Amino acid sequence: MASKVASWYKKDHVREVKTDFAYHHTKHVVKQQAARKSKCVCRLYTQATETMAEPGYIVPLFHPRKTICVCEVHGPAVETAYAIPFYRERHAEETEEYQRVSTNVEKELAVIQEEVRRMRIATKVQVETLAVQKEVREMMTRRVDYLDEIPRMPDFLLALRPHTVWEKTPIKLFCTVQGNPRPLVQWYKAGVPIYPPNTPGKYKIESKYGVHCLVISRSAVSDTAEYSAVAINQYGTATSKATVIVKRGAGAGDYYHLGLVPHLTEIHASKLEVGLFDRFPVTFGVEGESATLVCSMVVVPDLPNLPPIAQWYRDDKLLTPSKLVEMSVGGGKARLTLPHLAKDDEGLYTLRIFTKDGTSDHSAYLFVSDAAPTTAGAPGAPMSVKVYDVGSDYVLVAWKPPNTVNEAPITGYFVDRCEAGSDTWVQCNDAPVKVCKYPAHGLHVGRTYYFRVRAVNKAGISRPSRKSDKVIALDDAERLRLEVIKIKGKYEVVIKDDELEGHVTIPGEPTDVHVSEIFKSYVVLSWTPPSRRGRAPLWYIIEKCLAGTGAWRRINTAVKLHSPRYPVFDLQDGQKYQFRVYSVNANGSSEASAPSEPVQKVDEDGLELPVGVPSAPTHVVATRNTKTSVFVQWEASKEQKSLMGYYIDARVVGAKEWFACNNKPFKHTRFVAHGLIQGETYVFRVQAVNVFGLSEESQESSPVSVQPALAIPSAPYGITMLSSDGSSITLAWKSPKHSGGSRINAYYIDQRDVNDTVWTEVNLAAVTERVCTVDNLTEGNYYEFRVQAGNLVGVGLPSDPSPPLKCEAWTMEEPGPAYDLRFSEVRSHSLVILWKAPVYTGASSVTGYFVDMAKKGSSEFVTLNQETVNRRYLQVTGLEEGETYVFRVRAVNAKGVGKPSELSDPVCARPLPGTKEIVAGVDEETGDIFLSLEACEVSEMSEFVWSKNYKTIGDCPRVSVSTKGRTSRLTFTNPDKDDLGRYSVFVTDTDGVSSSYTLTEDTLNTMLELSYAIRHPVVPLKHGLNYEVLEKGHVRFWVQAEKLSSSVSYRFIFNDKEVKSGEGYKISHDVATGIIQMTVDNFTRASEGTYTVQIHDGKAKTQSSLVLVGDVFKAALKEAEFQRREHIRKQGPHFSEYLDFTVTEDCTVLLTCKVANVKKETTFQWYKDDEEIVPETPPNVMSGACGLPVPLFSRKDQGVYKAVLSDNRGKDTSAFDISGKVFDDIINALARVAGASASDLVLQCTPEGIRLQCYMKYYTEEMKTIWKHKESKIASSERMRIGGAAEMAWMQICDPTDREKGLYSIEISDGVKTHVRSFDLSGQAYTEAYAEYLRLKAAAFAEKNRGRVLGGLPDVATIMEDKSLSLTCTVGGEPTPEVTWLKNEQEVESNEHTRVTFDGGKFSSLVINQVTPDDSGKYSINVRNKYGGEFVEITVSVYRHGEQIPEPKLGQAKMATPVVTPAPPSKTTTPTPSKSPGPKSPTPGPKSPTPAPKSPAPKSPTPKSPTPTPPRGIKSPTPPRFMKSPTPPRK
C-alpha cells in the first residue's frame, strides 16, 4: 500500500484546520448540552421543591469531619414547622413565639435545601461535561482526515480584551487567530515592537494551536499602555488592540499591625477547596543550618497529579526555586526548605494557596541569628551583598551592616571577589572601608565575578557574608551605543555608533566630569564617554590637581581604565581637588575634558559628607502582645539618609547584656519581638542603620512584662447538671479557654424556662467557683442556663445555652456524675487525670471510680482500671506520643456504677516545650530541705498550687511556700516520716505547667544527713594529715581543705604538745589551694609519735591526726636518711637516672643513664663483671646522657654492668644486673620489635625436606617462639628440626609424608602480646612443595655422584720443544666415570707419541713425548658417568729454543650439567666432535639461592630462581652435605 507524503506547509495547514474544526464543533456541542442542561436544571429544581415540600422528607446534613446526620422535614401541609415535644405544649398566647421560631427553622431548612440543590446540579453538570467530551471525541474520529487547502487572510476568532489590574499583578493577553497559511503574530506596546530578550523576565510570548499569549510578569504602573497583536500572512494583515491599565493599590491588611502581608499578585482559576491547618509558627534558625516551613492542608478533591497552586513570599517578594530555596507541594503539605541559612533569609514568610473561593494565606516570621564567631568578640557577618553600577573594570559593591549588641563597634569591612569557576577569594581592599559601599576596580572585561564582605572590629574579623549574585564585567554604556535600523519596515540591522562616525582616528574628549559619590576614605569620579570615539579600543587617563593651582598630576599610571567611573583614594583631608579626563586609543589621545568642580572629602568642621549615620529613633514604646512576644513601636529617625532599616535589641530587667531581636534591618517602625519568656520583664531599644553604620541607641522603653494583651475572657462551656432535688438544680461548667490576660474573678449565671425567650439573672453577686445551685425552680419544668465570665477588663460573652434540663428530684440509687475533669503532668507517654466527687452520691457513699479513655474521634472507650480507685486522681501510662485522647469518669457506690461524667477536653500526649521537673534539694546556707520547680512559662496572674497526694496544701505548719519569678519552693519545717508522699505543683493561668515528685524514705534520710552537715558545719578536707619526705631529709606534714577563708586559724600538736613555727619547724598555709603544712628540718628517732592539726574557719572546724610509730615511722626515717645521703651525693657528679635498658628499632639493646653536675674533667667508664669495656664511641658526659649499645643480644651478654662517674669532687656508680627477670624483660622487648617486624611464613624446599622460614629484624634462640602444626606444639626432632639465624627462624620437615600436611604457625611471645604467622601446607601448596623436594633430593644425589675432575690439572701449560708433557688429574664419581681426552675438540688416541692412561678409576694421565709446535692447542678432559660429568680445558703452548716464552692464554673450564637419569647405552660415552660440535652440556649451579621473603613465587609455595652459570675457568666444587639458606639483608 502506497503512503502519501505531504509537504511541511500542508501539514501545518492540516493541523490548523483540525484545530479550527475542533473549536467550532466543540462550541456547537456545548450549546446543545447547555440547552439540555437548562431544561434539566429547571426540572430538577421543580422536583426537588416538590419533594422537600412533602411531609417526612429526610434532609441530609453535612458537616466536615463529623458523621452525616439526617433530620425530618415536614411540608407546608403541616400546621407547625416542627414537632412540639410533650414538655413544650403551649397555650394560644404563646403561638406568636412559636411562629417566630418556626420562621427561623424554615429559613435554615431553605438554606439546606438550596445546598442540596446546588450539589445535585454540580454533579449533573460534571456528568454532562464528561458526556460532551466523549461525544466530541467520537465525532472528531469520524470526520475527514484532510480538508482542501483554502487560502484565507488572518482573522481574530478571539480578540484581545482590556485589563485593569493592581500593581505587581501578572497580566495575560490572549487572542486566537486563524488563517491559511498560518499567520505570524507580532506584539506591540504603544506601537513599539516587544522583544522579550531585550527585557529578560519582563515579557513572555507563547503560541500554541492558534492561541497566542503575551504574559507581562509583575506589572508596574509604567506598563499602562495600548497593546496590539498584528497577525500577517501573504494574503493580508489583521490587528487586535486592548488597553491595559495598572493601578497602584493602598496595600493589604497588617500582619500583627505591621502592614507586611504581600499584595495579591495573580488570581488562579482553581476548582480545589483548600483549608490550612498545622500552620508553621514563628521560626528561629542559625547561620549555616537549615530551616523548613511546613503547612498542612486539606484539599478537596485530593488529586495526586493536581496539587494546589502555592506561592511563597519573603517580605512581599515572590520566591522562586533555587539552590538556596527548595519548594514542594503534595501529600497534604506545602513545604519550603532553606538548606543553608544566612541572615539574608530573615523576614516575613507568607504562603499563599489558590483555592476555589480565592486565596488562603498564612504568614510567620523567620529569624536567623549569627553563627558562632571564629574569634571571640568578632562581629556578625554582613548581609544583602549587592552589585551596582557595573562597568568593564569597575563595580560598586553595597551591603547591609550586621547588628552589634555586645560586641565592639565595627571599624570597617573587607570586600573579597572570586571569579566564576574558581574557589579562590581575593581581597579587594588593603585597608578596611568604613562605609557599606566599596568601588571594586581592576576587573577583567567579560569575566564573571562573585563578591562577599567581612566585618572587622578590634576583636577580629567576622565570618564572610553570603556571596552576591554573579555579575559580568561589561559596561552598560557599550550597550547604549548599539542602534537598531529598520530597512523597508521589515528587516532590522544592529550597528554601533562608531560605524556611523566615518573615519575617526583620535577620539573626542569626555564630558560632564563630576564626583558622583563622596566618602571619607574615597570619592567616585564619573564622566560621559566621548560621542566620537572611533573603532579602536578606548581607555581613559585621569589627572587631578589642587583646586586653583593648575598643577595636574596623572592618577592611573599603571591602570588602563575602560569604564567611565573610577574611585580615587589618595586624597588629603581638608584639601579641595579638581579632576579632568583624557580619552585614549591606539591612534592617540584626545584633548583634556573640562575640569570638574572643586571637591573635598570632608567639610570645614571635619564631618563626613554627607553627615554619616542617621539620628537615633525616639519614643520607643513596648506593649503586651502574646505570651511569648511584645509589640514594639517607635518614631522614625529624623535624618533618614539612605536608611536601610532598624535593629531592635532587648534586655531582661536586671541583666546587663542585651540581645538582638532581629539580625536583618527592619524597614518599618513597628515590630513584634518573638521568642521571649512568658512572665519575664524586658526593656527595648532601637538603632537606625544606613550605609555609614548604626546610629546611637535610642532611649530604653519602659519595662513590659511578657503577657497576652488584656481582653475580656472567652465564654465558659460544658455546662453540666450535677444534681436536682425538685426545686433546685446544681450546675458546673468549665472555665473559659482564654482568660483575656487577667485572672477570672467572677461568674454570672442566667436562666430561662424553655418556653421563655427572656434570660433571667440567677446571681447578682459574682460567683467565684465553677459550681452553683440555682434555687426556686418549678418541679417538672425544663430550664436552659448560660454562664458569663468576668475579669479585670469586664464581663465576657455568654456561653452557649445548656441543653434543656428538667427540674425533678433525683431518686436513683447510683451516684451522679463526677465533674471538673482536668489534667496534670502531661508528658509524652503519661499524664495524671484529676476530678471532683459527684455532688449527688445516691443511696450510699461513693466507694470508688472507673476511668475510661478513648482516642479523639473514637467512640470506643477503654476502662483503664480493672479495680475501682478510691482516690480522685489516676496516673495514666502507655500513651502514644502526639496522640490526642478524651476521658470520662464513672463513680461507684454499693448500688452500682453511676452516670459517666461529661467528656474531658481533648488532651495531646506531648509535654510543653522546656518542661522541667520538681527538684529535691537542701539549702546550702540554712540546711532546709525543699522541693523546687522552675516553670517553663508563667503569666502575670500565675500561682503555684502545691499539693500532697493531689490534695491542696493550705496553711500547714509543716511546710512553707515561697515564689520568686518563675521558681516556686516548698520548704519542710521539720521533716520526718509523716512528710513522705507524692507532691505535685500546678501553675495556674498557663497551658498546663505542672510536675510531681515522690518523696521516699531513702531520699529523705539522705537529705537529712546533708542538712545536719550544713547546720553543723565542719571544714571539708580533700586530704587528711599526711607526710612526705623532701630533699635533704626534711619531712613535710600537710593537710588540704576543700576551701579556706582568709580568717582561718590552726595549730599543730605533736605528742600532746603544741608545735610552733621556729627553729627546726616551719608552719604555713595557702588559702588558694587550701593547704596547711608543717616542715620538720631534723627528722630523727625522737620524731616518733602522733601528729595532729586542728583547724577553725568561721563556724566550721575540724582536726586530722597522723600516727607515725613502729614500722611506719621506721620507713619514714629510712627515707629521710636516704634523702640526706642523696643530697650529699648530688653535690658532686652523679647519676640523675640510673642504668636502664631500651631496645632500638634495629633490635640493638642500649644501656642508658643520665648524669648531672658534671664538667669537662669528669670521666665515665663502663664495666662488665668488673672488666672495663671500651666502646667504639667514647661517652660524652656533657650531653647529660650516656649509652652502651649491645648488638645481637643473647645469653652470652648476661652479667653485671656498671657505669662509673668521677672527678675531683667525688665518684658515683650505677650497677645493672642483666640476669633473671631483667634478662627476660630484655628478651621480651626484643621479641616485641622482632615479632612486629616478622614476615609471613615462606616455604623453602631443600634436598633434606621442606623448610618454613620467618624473617624478622632479629632472632635469637632465647626468644619465646613456638612452632605449631594443627594447633599442636612441635618439638625439635630428627624429622622436625627447629633452628634459626640472626634474622630468621625456621622449621624443617625432613623426608615429608602426607602426615605433615596441614596448617603450620609460629608464635612469638613478648610477654604481653603474641605475634602469630602461619602457612597452610596442604592441597596444591603441599603437592608442589613435595615435588620440588623430590627434584632437589635427586639433584643433590646426582651432584654428589656425578663424574668430576677433583684436581691436578693446570689451566695453562707452556713447554719447550722436545720436552715431554704429562697432564695428570684425579677424577671421581660413583659409578666409576669414563674419561676421554680431547685436543681441539678431537679425541686423543693413545699411541707412542701420545699416551692416555686411567689407573684405578681415580687417576687419569695424558703424556705427550717430545712435544713439537704441532702439539700446541686446546686440550680437554671429559669425565662422565650416568649422573653427569665435567668438562675441563687446558691450553698447551710449545715454543722453540731461543724463542720468548709466549704469554699464556687462559681457557675457561666448562662444567657438564649433572644428569639424574642414566646415560643412554653407548660404547663411547664421550661424543665425538663430528656428532657434538662445540660445548654441549649446560652448566649446573651448586644450589638455588633463597628468595627474599617479600616476593614468593606466585603460583608455587616453593620459591624458585634461575641457576647462575659460573665462569668457564672455575672448577665445579663439590657441594656441601647440608645446604644452608643464605641470610637475607636487614629490613
Side-chain angles (χ1 to χ4, degrees), residues 1251-1254 1259 1267 1281-1285 1288-1292:
R1251 174 179 293 187
L1252 296 177
Q1253 302 175 157
C1254 181
Y1259 174 77
W1267 287 89
R1281 298 178 184 175
I1282 296 175
M1288 177 183 67
W1290 55 264
M1291 188 275 299
Q1292 181 162 294

Side-chain angles (χ1 to χ4, degrees), residues 1157-1428:
N1157 198 15
V1158 295
K1159 55 184 181 179
K1160 293 182 179 179
E1161 292 77 11
T1162 304
T1163 61
F1164 189 97
Q1165 294 172 300
W1166 291 98
Y1167 293 89
K1168 178 188 177 186
D1169 296 335
D1170 296 328
E1171 292 185 5
E1172 185 176 358
I1173 302 173
V1174 181
E1176 296 180 0
T1177 304
N1180 181 13
V1181 296
M1182 300 305 295
S1183 65
C1186 297
L1188 177 65
V1190 183
L1192 301 178
F1193 183 86
S1194 62
R1195 195 172 299 278
K1196 63 180 177 59
D1197 295 307
Q1198 292 188 105
V1200 177
Y1201 291 79
K1202 289 183 180 180
V1204 179
L1205 188 68
S1206 63
D1207 61 17
N1208 56 0
R1209 295 171 296 166
K1211 176 182 177 181
D1212 197 10
T1213 303
S1214 175
F1216 191 63
D1217 186 2
I1218 300 181
S1219 62
K1221 184 177 182 304
V1222 175
F1223 179 80
D1224 293 341
D1225 291 342
I1226 296 176
I1227 292 298
N1228 287 336
L1230 288 169
R1232 189 174 301 114
V1233 178
S1237 68
S1239 68
D1240 293 333
L1241 290 181
V1242 178
L1243 186 145
Q1244 176 68 42
C1245 294
T1246 68
E1248 288 76 23
I1250 299 173
R1251 174 179 293 187
L1252 296 177
Q1253 302 175 157
C1254 181
Y1255 296 92
M1256 59 193 75
K1257 289 186 176 180
Y1258 178 66
Y1259 174 77
T1260 178
E1261 62 182 5
E1262 286 81 8
M1263 289 183 183
K1264 300 175 184 178
T1265 56
I1266 299 174
W1267 287 89
K1268 289 185 176 181
H1269 177 221
K1270 298 179 181 179
E1271 301 301 325
S1272 299
K1273 185 177 178 180
I1274 300 174
S1276 184
S1277 62
E1278 286 297 325
R1279 287 190 57 79
M1280 297 286 192
R1281 298 178 184 175
I1282 296 175
E1287 295 183 352
M1288 177 183 67
W1290 55 264
M1291 188 275 299
Q1292 181 162 294
I1293 307 169
C1294 298
D1295 297 329
T1297 63
D1298 287 349
R1299 291 180 303 173
E1300 279 72 44
K1301 291 182 180 179
L1303 181 68
Y1304 288 83
S1305 62
I1306 181 174
E1307 296 180 357
I1308 306 170
S1309 175
D1310 58 13
V1312 177
K1313 182 179 179 182
T1314 300
H1315 307 270
V1316 180
R1317 302 293 185 268
S1318 59
F1319 186 88
D1320 188 5
L1321 185 61
S1322 61
Q1324 184 68 19
Y1326 176 82
T1327 302
E1328 294 181 359
Y1330 187 75
E1332 179 68 8
Y1333 153 69
L1334 293 178
R1335 186 187 68 79
L1336 293 177
K1337 182 177 180 182
F1341 182 81
E1343 177 66 20
K1344 176 182 177 183
N1345 294 285
R1346 69 179 174 85
R1348 68 183 67 213
V1349 178
L1350 300 179
L1353 289 178
D1355 292 333
V1356 176
T1358 304
I1359 190 169
M1360 185 183 296
E1361 189 179 14
D1362 295 331
K1363 299 289 186 179
S1364 294
L1365 174 63
S1366 176
L1367 300 175
T1368 303
C1369 65
T1370 303
V1371 300
E1374 185 63 34
T1376 302
E1378 296 179 355
V1379 178
T1380 304
W1381 288 88
L1382 298 96
K1383 175 186 178 184
N1384 295 332
E1385 299 182 356
Q1386 298 294 325
E1387 184 176 354
V1388 177
E1389 296 181 358
S1390 182
N1391 52 36
E1392 293 182 359
H1393 180 66
T1394 305
R1395 187 174 71 251
V1396 177
T1397 62
F1398 184 37
D1399 298 332
K1402 290 186 178 181
F1403 305 102
S1404 178
S1405 299
L1406 171 62
V1407 179
I1408 304 175
N1409 298 316
Q1410 295 180 348
V1411 296
T1412 64
D1414 294 335
D1415 294 320
S1416 297
K1418 187 176 293 184
Y1419 291 80
S1420 59
I1421 182 173
N1422 190 355
V1423 182
R1424 178 176 296 275
N1425 63 8
K1426 66 178 181 178
Y1427 295 113

